[in-house]
C-alpha cells in the first residue's frame, strides 16, 4: 500500500485484489452509520452505491486500469451536479427530499466522476442554497467538524469535508463560488482545489455557474488525488465557457509571492499568518524565490470580489427561485432577505459588479506579471463554533461580513477566475489544522499542484481518521 492514505491508495488496494469495490462500499456504508452524528450525509442510497460497486467489480481488469479511482466510494454535494438518481434539495425545506431541481440525467461533470471509477452512494450536507461558510441548514442535519465536533466543518461543502476527514470516503464532490471548496477543506485538514474559470465542464444545462464565479471539483486527502480528479474531470464539454488552456510550464525555480497581511478590516490570527511564512521558507529552501507582496496589492481587488460575490448571489438566487416557481416564504429568513435584495437590485448594479470582476481579473494578471504564484492565508483563524453563521435573521450585510472575516481572500479567486488550492501545513496547539492557500494565473493548476505537492512532502500534517476499507 502507498504510504499516503487517500483515494489513490484505496484504488490501488482494489486493483491489487486486497479488497473488492463492493467491500470498499460496504466499509463506507458502515462508516457512514458510525459517524452519523457528524451530520455529514443528508441523503444515502446504499442500493445504488452497492450496484455501482458491483458494476466496477464486473469490469475486466484492463477497463478498471484506465480508471484512476476504480471502485472508490464517494459522495456528491447536495448542491451542484446533478448526479442522476440523487435528487438535490440544496439544504432547503422548500425542496422535499425525493424531488429534484434541474434535469435528472448526469451533468458532464457527473459523467466524468463516474468514468473515473468513483461509486456514488449519497449526498453531503450543505447550507440552504449554499449561502454560508457553515453547513447547518434549518432542515438539518447540522454538520460538525470531525476534528472538534463543537466547531463547524465549514461551508458550503462542509458535509463533503467532514465525510472525507472522518474517513467515511476518501474523496467527495464539492463546489466553490466564494471559497466553498477551500474553506471546508481548510477547516478539516484537507486539500481543496478551486479550478480556473472554464476548466471544468459546465453542461449540459447549468452552464453559467453564478455568472462564472462558481466551479465544481472535490475535497481530497492528498494533492495527488486533487491532481487526478482534476485531470479526469477537466476539459472541453458542453457549456458556454471555452476550455482554459494551461499556462506555459515554467522550468526551474518559481517566483512565489508571499502575502502575510490581510489588512485591519479582516485581520488574520498570528498563528495562521505565521504558517504562511513557514510555508514560504520551506519553498525557498526548495529553491524557489520569495517575493514579498503587500496587502495593498490585493486590497481593492479583494473588496470588489466580495461585493461582486454578494450581488451575483442575490440576483442569481432570486432568478432561480422565480424560474423554478418556488415559494420564497418557505425558505430560511436569511435566504428570504437574499432573494428580496436580488429582486430589488437594478440591472445597473449587477452590471457594475460584473464589470468589477473584469477589473479584478486584470489586477490579478498584473500581479502575476511579477510572480508565478501567490502564497497567502486561507482562513483568518481556527474553525469557529457551531452557530457562528446563523441564518435565522435577515441582515445580509452582517452575514457576509462574518464570512469575509473568516476567509478574507477566498472570493478573490472566484471573481478573478484564477485557480486556488488550500492544504494543511501544520497543526495548532489543540490539533486543528493550519492551512495555507496558493493562487496562480488562469490555467495555472499545474503550478499550484506542483508547489502544493512539494509542501505536502514536508509532512507537517497527518490525518487523524483512517479511511473506511483501506487495508493497513
Amino acid at each position: 500500500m502507498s504510504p499516503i492514505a487517500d483515494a489513490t491508495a484505496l484504488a490501488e488496494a482494489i486493483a491489487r485484489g486486497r479488497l473488492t469495490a463492493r467491500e470498499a462500499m460496504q466499509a463506507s456504508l458502515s462508516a457512514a452509520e458510525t459517524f452519523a452524528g457528524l451530520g455529514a450525509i443528508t441523503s444515502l442510497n446504499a442500493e445504488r452505491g452497492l450496484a455501482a460497486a458491483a458494476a466496477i467489480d464486473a469490469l475486466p481488469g484492463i477497463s478498471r486500469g484506465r480508471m484512476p479511482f476504480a471502485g472508490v466510494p464517494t459522495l456528491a454535494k447536495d448542491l451542484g451536479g446533478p448526479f442522476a438518481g440523487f435528487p438535490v434539495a440544496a439544504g432547503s425545506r422548500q425542496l422535499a427530499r425525493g424531488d429534484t431541481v434541474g434535469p435528472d440525467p448526469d451533468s458532464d461533470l457527473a459523467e466524468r466522476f463516474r468514468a473515473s471509477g468513483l461509486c456514488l452512494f449519497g449526498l453531503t450536507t450543505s447550507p440552504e442554497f449554499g449561502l454560508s461558510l457553515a453547513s447547518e441548514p434549518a432542515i438539518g442535519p447540522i454538520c460538525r467538524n470531525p476534528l472538534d465536533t463543537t466547531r463547524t466543518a465549514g461551508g458550503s461543502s462542509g458535509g463533503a469535508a467532514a465525510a472525507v476527514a472522518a474517513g467515511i470516503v476518501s474523496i467527495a464532490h464539492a463546489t466553490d463560488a466564494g471559497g466553498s471548496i477551500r474553506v471546508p477543506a481548510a477547516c478539516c485538514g484537507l486539500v481543496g482545489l478551486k479550478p480556473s474559470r472554464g476548466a471544468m465542464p459546465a453542461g449540459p444545462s447549468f452552464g453559467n455557474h453564478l455568472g462564472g464565479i462558481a466551479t465544481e471539483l472535490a475535497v481530497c486527502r492528498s494533492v495527488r488525488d486533487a491532481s487526478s480528479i482534476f485531470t479526469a474531470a477537466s476539459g472541453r464539454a458542453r457549456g458556454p465557457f471555452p476550455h482554459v488552456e494551461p499556462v506555459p510550464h515554467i522550468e526551474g525555480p518559481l517566483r512565489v509571492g508571499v502575502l502575510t497581511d490581510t489588512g485591519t478590516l479582516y485581520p488574520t490570527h498570528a498563528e495562521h499568518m505565521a504558517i504562511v511564512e513557514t510555508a514560504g521558507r520551506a519553498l525557498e529552501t526548495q529553491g524557489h524565490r520569495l517575493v514579498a507582496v503587500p496587502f495593498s496589492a490585493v486590497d481593492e481587488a479583494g473588496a470588489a470580489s466580495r461585493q461582486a460575490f454578494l450581488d451575483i448571489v442575490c440576483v442569481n438566487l432570486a432568478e432561480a427561485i422565480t424560474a423554478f416557481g418556488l415559494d420564497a416564504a418557505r425558505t430560511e429568513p436569511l435566504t428570504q432577505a437574499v432573494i428580496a435584495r436580488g429582486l430589488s437590485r437594478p440591472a445597473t448594479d449587477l452590471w457594475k459588479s460584473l464589470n468589477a470582476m473584469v477589473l479584478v481579473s486584470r489586477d490579478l494578471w498584473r500581479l502575476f506579471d511579477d510572480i508565478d504564484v501567490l502564497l497567502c492565508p486561507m482562513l483568518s483563524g481556527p474553525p469557529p463554533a457551531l452557530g457562528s453563521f446563523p441564518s435565522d435573521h435577515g441582515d445580509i450585510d452582517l452575514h457576509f461580513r462574518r464570512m469575509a472575516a473568516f476567509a478574507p481572500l477566498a472570493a478573490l479567486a472566484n471573481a478573478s477566475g484564477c485557480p486556488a488550492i488550500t492544504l494543511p501545513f501544520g497543526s495548532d496547539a489543540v490539533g486543528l489544522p493550519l492551512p495555507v492557500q496558493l493562487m496562480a494565473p488562469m490555467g495555472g493548476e499545474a503550478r499550484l499542484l506542483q508547489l502544493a505537492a512539494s509542501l505536502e512532502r514536508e509532512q507537517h500534517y497527518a490525518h487523524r481518521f483512517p479511511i473506511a476499507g483501506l487495508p493497513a
Side-chain angles (χ1 to χ4, degrees), residues 252-258 275-292 373 375 425 438 450-452 454-455 458 460:
L254 295 173
R255 300 167 298 170
V256 179
V258 182
I275 202 66
V276 175
E277 297 175 346
T278 302
R281 288 193 295 271
L283 293 175
E284 186 176 38
T285 299
Q286 295 170 11
H288 301 291
R289 181 164 66 88
L290 303 187
V291 179
V373 294
L375 172 65
F425 198 63
L438 291 159
Q450 172 192 343
L451 287 187
S454 69
L455 289 175
E458 298 275 336
H460 284 226

Side-chain angles (χ1 to χ4, degrees), residues 8 13 84 106 171 178 188 257 264 278 299 305:
T8 300
D106 275 343
I171 186 171
C188 296
T264 57
T278 302
D299 187 10
S305 298

Side-chain angles (χ1 to χ4, degrees), residues 21 225 265 293:
D225 280 357
L265 183 61
V293 176

